[in-house]
Amino acid sequence: MGAGQVLKMGWILLVFCLLGCRGDSAATVVVEFWAMGREGEVAPQLLPEFERRHPGVRVKVQQIPWGAAHEKLLTAYAGDAMPDIFQLGNTWIPEFVALRAVEPLDAWIAGSPDFDLEDYFPGILATNVIAGGLYGAPWYVDTRLLFYRRDLLARAGYDQPPDSWDEWLTAMARLKAQAGADRYAILLPMNEWQLPVILALQRGAELLKDDSRYGNFRSPEFRRAFAFYLALFRQGLAPAVGETQIANLYQEFASAYFSLYISGPWNIGEFTRRLPPAVQDQWSTAPMPGPDARHPGVSLAGGASLAIYRGSPRKPEAWQLLAYLSEPAQQLAFYRLTGDLPARRTAWREGALADMPPTRAFWTQLQALAATPRIPEWERITSKIAQYAEAAIRGALTVDEALAALDRDVDGILEKRRWLLGKSR
Amino acid sequence: MRLPAGQRNSDPLGTSWPQRPSPAVWFIAPALALIGLFFLLPVAGALLLSFTDFDLYALGDLSNLRFVGWRNYRLLFQDPLFWTALKNTLYFVLVGGPLSVGFSLGAALLVNHRLVRCKGLFRTVFFLPVVTTLVAVAVVWRYLYHPRYGLLNYGLGLFGVAPIDWLGDPDWAMPAIILMAVWKNFGFNMIIFIAGLQNIPVHLYEAAAIDGAGPWRQFRSVTLPMLTPTFLFVAIITLIGYFQLFAEPYVMTQGGPANSTLSIVLLMYQEGFRWWNMGYASAVAFVLFAIILAATLIQLRRRRD
């Protein structure tokens, strides 16, 4: 870069500074709010009422694409450019707590009598608790369960979705036999970590051991779940395809390319919108089958929370916004805009969500959740699980090789954690 | 030996610092200062970083930072992901590089041929992909590559070729990336080749024609030798650029499927900005630097011989 250019940039900077220094004359506080994807798109529609109730506060919503959200938040933290309040995927909470980027909410909640923690799903709320402190308020909840084609299942001789693993396997075998060579019983994008982990949690696997110091993926529970998962591909019940290879999920579901699909609440809206009318009343949802008689089997406690930046100078206003977005009425309005399931049970009751078919299964499933380890490294560990699951499905590794490699990599990831825990003792 | 003060600056070779800096120093000082501040300093910082385990915990609290010596480098060479990335990057450089240079030379010869009309138009058209935003290009190419509705598979289908899952099949994803990268980049090298071609004096061709050389012989004995310096420049620039493969897989495949398009820079990005393992990512950066330096030196040496 030449000196001339530098000079020019200097001028530009100066102009920006002058513009920036021009303070707002009115005493309005602008709260910056980062929300991801579709949530960021619709969040502004919830805000007029908030701004009416709090005349001195304006909210600036910044929409962040989901794919880049994690990086953007970390970079914002490193660059000291954090928003006052932000949406945070609840598996990311431990990371941002380790960074000391998130304000603990306990004191704020104690000062707001209307804020009823009892109203939240306990399994979801637990993901926001790190070492006894609450760091986020669940905004919407998310878990995975079975989407199925009722007509195809009925033709295979089932008027009810399967309850147990055995029944599930037999049902899939029949569905596959009925579907033929180039169609499948179930669709499982093979670069996802969620299903192997759900199956392992159902088996009661402890994913990490010694206070999350080491990986525990060679445990008999995880191994059995992993083998069950792989068998779905080996037996040809699920096609060995990645997410990017499925051109149009909805078209494929409509054309009976697969009959079962494990997915989350966002697909209720998508299926309603995108499936052709002929299939519209032929699909439904069911809680996860369990490995034994216990039904439903547990699933993941997912979703996103609202968190406040610890270093924000506008915490009171950010808290007002957080409390407002957590009101049952707003949760219900948010559900109607996005299809994201409310985190508060009052909102479910007010919207009669627990009584209607597509959301009813989620209501049942949300009572049976299992938490994944709440450590900052978890996000990274999941990418390793996906990597080795895919390698095993493609046949590059055997089950034992894949799990041994997974344990080795995870132990490597957790090395720093072991050192920190040893240091603090 | 300590010299007396008066003699210190009078060594006959004039290698020591003059008493008063020459005015030239003031001319280069601003640029040097900027390079030092925005390039050398960060590079030195990154080098230091590569000997630490700077990560999320250290970002939150600097007392969690450890100096780990060569451990990042040792771990790197044990990391199967690094070897996958290196293999993919070499694949891209060794196949994509020559293809790109060959393609640009061919395009340059065609565009520069005296029989071609509207040279300016063709030059512009071929150069357009270079100046187009990669993200926009990637969106269009994803449509072209679509296994069922893509134009490419439709075209192949006319010849009876079964549909190829370009971006989803681990064996085809890298060729797909190479194809796109060559298309995107050949225009730049083409312009340089055209400049090189136009520098070849016409009388050489006339003399060759008088000596009875046909077009092929002229190309081999006049054009190619005269283009050697251009070739060297293009080869090295392409090599360096292609080793730093990042944007294409980042936008098109995110390194997938099954890590078949994971490049070294993409690995560095993921380690650094996705997982915030800055220490490890810096080590990746310096290993890549060493690889590029070695490859460039080999290239230079080969040309000189």
Side-chain angles (χ1 to χ4, degrees):
Chain A
M1 166 164 35
Q5 266 170 297
V6 174
L7 204 65
K8 213 189 298 173
M9 277 179 56
W11 276 110
I12 292 171
L13 275 176
L14 192 68
V15 170
F16 270 109
C17 286
L18 289 175
L19 285 174
C21 295
R22 218 185 38 172
D24 285 32
S25 47
T28 47
V29 178
V30 179
V31 173
E32 202 173 331
F33 175 28
W34 282 12
M36 286 79 163
R38 177 84 184 131
E39 287 81 42
E41 245 171 76
V42 304
Q45 297 180 41
L46 299 172
L47 296 174
E49 166 71 7
F50 173 77
E51 294 185 341
R52 195 186 58 75
R53 279 198 236 163
H54 303 272
V57 185
R58 287 279 161 278
V59 182
K60 205 176 112 198
V61 180
Q62 178 76 54
Q63 191 196 341
I64 313 276
W66 261 117
H70 188 249
E71 279 128 87
K72 289 227 187 256
L73 278 170
L74 279 179
T75 318
Y77 175 76
D80 200 15
M82 284 289 273
D84 303 298
I85 171 171
F86 50 99
Q87 180 185 351
L88 197 58
N90 63 3
T91 49
W92 304 348
I93 294 172
E95 255 171 281
F96 287 85
V97 171
L99 283 175
R100 301 170 201 208
V102 192
E103 171 82 1
L105 298 180
D106 306 271
W108 294 97
I109 288 171
S112 316
D114 309 343
F115 205 95
D116 182 13
L117 278 183
E118 300 289 308
D119 199 23
Y120 287 91
F121 291 100
I124 299 285
L125 194 65
T127 60
N128 292 264
V129 178
I130 311 286
L134 181 72
Y135 287 92
W139 194 16
Y140 60 85
V141 297
D142 158 1
T143 186
R144 296 194 173 215
L145 44 61
L146 203 58
F147 284 70
Y148 66 96
R149 281 279 297 267
R150 207 183 303 140
D151 52 342
L152 297 175
L153 215 56
R155 212 189 313 154
Y158 292 88
D159 50 357
Q160 286 291 316
D163 276 353
S164 66
W165 283 19
D166 288 339
E167 209 184 337
W168 188 21
L169 263 183
T170 350
M172 282 191 284
R174 285 205 207 163
L175 283 169
K176 172 67 189 171
Q178 159 186 306
D182 52 352
R183 289 176 178 187
Y184 298 89
I186 187 166
L187 179 72
L188 307 165
M190 64 176 161
N191 45 352
E192 289 190 352
W193 59 271
Q194 284 89 351
L195 192 61
V197 169
I198 291 174
L199 296 174
L201 290 171
Q202 291 188 345
R203 278 261 170 235
E206 197 193 355
L207 301 172
L208 306 175
K209 62 186 174 190
D210 285 350
D211 193 15
S212 300
R213 282 180 171 84
Y214 295 94
N216 193 23
F217 294 102
R218 275 173 292 180
S219 70
E221 295 86 7
F222 194 89
R223 205 185 172 287
R224 277 171 78 183
F226 196 71
F228 179 87
Y229 175 70
L230 285 189
L232 301 181
F233 294 92
R234 299 262 158 87
Q235 296 172 14
L237 301 174
V241 293
E243 205 178 359
T244 49
Q245 278 163 289
I246 302 149
N248 186 329
L249 180 78
Y250 311 102
Q251 224 164 30
E252 307 287 16
F253 193 51
S255 68
Y257 178 63
F258 57 93
S259 320
L260 308 176
Y261 183 49
I262 296 198
S263 185
W266 60 90
N267 264 328
I268 294 180
E270 298 293 315
F271 280 14
T272 314
R273 205 168 22 249
R274 300 198 193 195
L275 288 179
V279 209
Q280 211 40 268
D281 52 351
Q282 295 304 339
W283 68 274
S284 192
T285 53
M288 286 298 292
D292 41 38
R294 268 173 303 160
H295 179 76
V298 291
S299 188
L300 295 173
S305 299
L306 294 168
I308 296 176
Y309 176 46
R310 197 176 206 148
S312 161
R314 288 169 288 273
K315 279 184 216 167
E317 291 80 9
W319 169 253
Q320 283 170 353
L321 179 59
L322 190 150
Y324 168 79
L325 290 172
S326 303
E327 288 170 8
Q330 297 312 319
Q331 293 246 305
L332 202 55
F334 187 57
Y335 163 73
R336 300 223 159 98
L337 288 170
T338 57
D340 288 341
L341 298 176
R344 295 186 64 159
R345 289 184 275 195
T346 311
W348 281 76
R349 275 191 288 276
E350 280 173 14
L353 298 180
D355 313 327
M356 291 183 298
T359 43
R360 187 170 51 201
F362 280 94
W363 175 260
T364 315
Q365 188 68 64
L366 283 165
Q367 323 290 335
L369 300 178
T372 48
R374 288 195 289 276
I375 56 166
E377 293 87 352
W378 177 247
E379 196 67 18
R380 204 163 173 214
I381 293 174
T382 60
S383 81
K384 289 285 171 195
I385 299 174
Q387 182 192 330
Y388 285 112
E390 183 173 355
I393 294 165
R394 288 187 190 275
L397 297 173
T398 66
V399 173
D400 289 309
E401 284 166 353
L403 295 182
L406 185 54
D407 263 341
R408 189 198 58 221
D409 282 10
V410 169
D411 287 353
I413 292 170
L414 292 172
E415 187 277 335
K416 182 83 176 237
R417 180 179 162 79
R418 290 196 292 275
W419 176 75
L420 284 171
L421 288 174
K423 193 175 78 157
S424 63
R425 202 185 307 129
Chain B
M1 186 182 81
R2 239 188 101 88
L3 291 168
Q7 287 182 357
R8 211 178 287 169
N9 288 320
S10 58
D11 65 313
L13 291 172
T15 48
S16 77
W17 197 256
Q19 259 170 342
R20 252 172 25 141
S22 115
V25 169
W26 298 112
F27 282 99
I28 58 168
L32 267 186
L34 284 175
I35 288 175
L37 193 64
F38 293 113
F39 182 75
L40 294 180
L41 212 64
V43 166
L47 185 64
L48 267 180
L49 216 53
S50 75
F51 294 107
T52 69
D53 68 343
F54 192 96
D55 60 0
L56 265 176
Y57 291 116
L59 184 66
D61 180 355
L62 260 186
S63 71
N64 290 333
L65 186 73
R66 289 178 293 176
F67 273 88
V68 293
W70 291 94
R71 198 184 69 182
N72 283 330
Y73 293 90
R74 217 173 49 237
L75 286 179
L76 183 60
F77 289 118
Q78 289 167 4
D79 186 353
L81 221 49
F82 170 73
W83 293 108
T84 312
L86 183 63
K87 206 182 70 205
N88 294 339
T89 309
L90 285 177
Y91 180 5
F92 183 75
V93 170
L94 294 180
V95 178
L99 212 61
S100 171
V101 172
F103 210 68
S104 1
L105 180 61
L109 287 171
L110 285 178
V111 169
N112 203 44
H113 199 275
R114 59 198 149 74
L115 292 180
V116 173
R117 289 195 210 160
C118 311
K119 284 182 186 176
L121 175 76
F122 281 110
R123 271 199 305 245
T124 315
V125 168
F126 286 162
F127 196 67
L128 262 182
V130 180
V131 289
T132 316
T133 321
L134 186 98
V135 177
V137 167
V139 171
V140 176
W141 276 78
R142 278 175 72 133
Y143 280 113
L144 293 181
Y145 280 143
H146 197 286
R148 259 178 277 179
Y149 321 113
L151 190 66
L152 206 58
N153 274 352
Y154 174 76
L156 290 174
L158 296 181
F159 297 98
V161 180
I164 296 170
D165 188 358
W166 289 97
L167 295 173
D169 185 330
D171 294 331
W172 281 108
M174 190 49 102
I177 296 275
I178 290 175
L179 188 62
M180 186 186 114
V182 168
W183 173 84
K184 173 97 173 69
N185 299 323
F186 83 93
F188 182 77
N189 288 340
M190 180 195 74
I191 295 290
I192 297 172
F193 273 129
I194 290 176
L197 285 173
Q198 288 176 347
N199 269 337
I200 303 175
V202 185
H203 66 252
L204 291 180
Y205 289 106
E206 287 164 357
I210 290 167
D211 287 344
W216 174 241
R217 190 64 212 259
Q218 283 184 23
F219 174 72
R220 265 182 51 214
S221 304
V222 179
T223 312
L224 276 187
M226 291 303 284
L227 274 183
T228 309
T230 318
F231 246 113
L232 184 63
F233 174 77
V234 165
I236 288 178
I237 290 294
T238 307
L239 185 90
I240 294 176
Y242 273 38
F243 260 113
Q244 296 176 1
L245 171 69
F246 169 71
E248 287 87 351
Y250 177 73
V251 180
M252 305 274 284
T253 58
Q254 286 283 323
N259 288 325
S260 60
T261 56
L262 181 78
S263 69
I264 296 186
V265 183
L266 191 58
L267 174 73
M268 178 175 84
Y269 175 82
Q270 287 184 350
E271 286 291 340
F273 293 100
R274 190 151 166 219
W275 310 122
W276 215 262
N277 279 328
M278 282 293 170
Y280 192 74
S282 306
V284 177
F286 279 94
V287 170
L288 178 64
F289 167 73
I291 293 172
I292 293 180
L293 186 67
T296 310
L297 288 178
I298 292 171
Q299 190 85 344
L300 279 173
R301 175 68 53 84
R302 237 181 33 160
R303 297 288 161 171
R304 214 174 289 147
D305 293 344

